[in-house]
Every structure is written in C-alpha cells, then in structure tokens.
Amino acid sequence: MRNPVAAARAVGAGALAVEAIVLLLAILPLIKLGAHLTGAAIAVVVALAVLCLVLAGLLRYRWAWYAALLPQVALLASGYFHVALAVLGVLFGLLWLYVLNVRRTVLGAPHIRRRWG
C-alpha cells in the first residue's frame, strides 16, 4: 500500500458516512411505525447522523477513532424510542469494532516499534 494511514482513514470515514445515511433513511420508518416520542427520536437520529459525519472528518486524530464508538452507544441507548434503533446500534457497533480491527491490522500496533523493513 502506498499510504496505509489514508487507506485506514478512508475505510473509517466510509463506515461513518454509511451509518449517517442509514440513520437519515430511518426517519421515515420511525414516523410510519409511530415510535414512542417520535419528535425526540427524530431529533436524536438527526443529531447522531451529524455526529457521524463530523467524526468522519476528524479521523486524522487518534482520539476520533475511539470517540466514534459514541454514536453506536448512543444509538443503542436510543432503543428507548424504538427497538429498531437499538438493533442499528448493535449492528453499527460491531461494524465499527471491525473497522478498528482493520485499522490495527493495516497500521500495526501503535506501541510496537519495528526494527526491520
């Protein structure tokens, strides 16, 4: 790979962008299914979608990779409004853990210094 840091960042940004799109697409089913506290649920979903996009832009910082777990945890807690939001939280949480694993595999462990190559 020519630039593994940029490749890992692109995978993370892509995952967060897909999450934001899925969250925005989830608004209409929340309205149609009559979720508990529909207005609050929509506000939370929009806020989480914006947070995902902001974090996608901040992935050049190491802390942002771990802060990107926040939308998944908040989405899981949003299961209070509708169970489908909790399911999305679990799915995207697992996806983000996989992205972190890919990043670690591509970039190597940060605390290990390589002496050769």
Side-chain angles (χ1 to χ4, degrees), residues 54-113:
V54 168
L55 286 169
L58 293 173
L59 287 180
R60 65 181 167 264
Y61 302 108
R62 181 181 289 176
W63 60 266
W65 286 90
Y66 301 103
L69 284 170
L70 178 66
Q72 286 78 20
V73 172
L75 197 53
L76 186 62
S78 297
Y80 170 75
F81 300 117
H82 198 278
V83 70
L85 295 176
V87 170
L88 285 176
V90 169
L91 291 176
F92 281 111
L94 291 173
L95 173 68
W96 191 252
L97 291 175
Y98 176 71
V99 168
L100 288 175
N101 184 43
V102 168
R103 178 180 180 257
R104 184 180 55 82
T105 302
V106 169
L107 300 180
H111 61 281
I112 298 174
R113 293 185 188 257

Side-chain angles (χ1 to χ4, degrees), residues 19-31 35 37-53 71 74-75 78-79 81-82 84-86 88:
E19 182 176 0
I21 291 169
V22 168
L23 287 175
L24 292 175
L25 288 173
I27 292 174
L28 188 59
L30 284 175
I31 293 170
L37 300 171
T38 304
I42 292 171
V44 167
V45 166
V46 170
L48 289 175
V50 170
L51 178 62
C52 286
L53 293 175
L75 197 53
S78 297
F81 300 117
H82 198 278
L85 295 176
L88 285 176

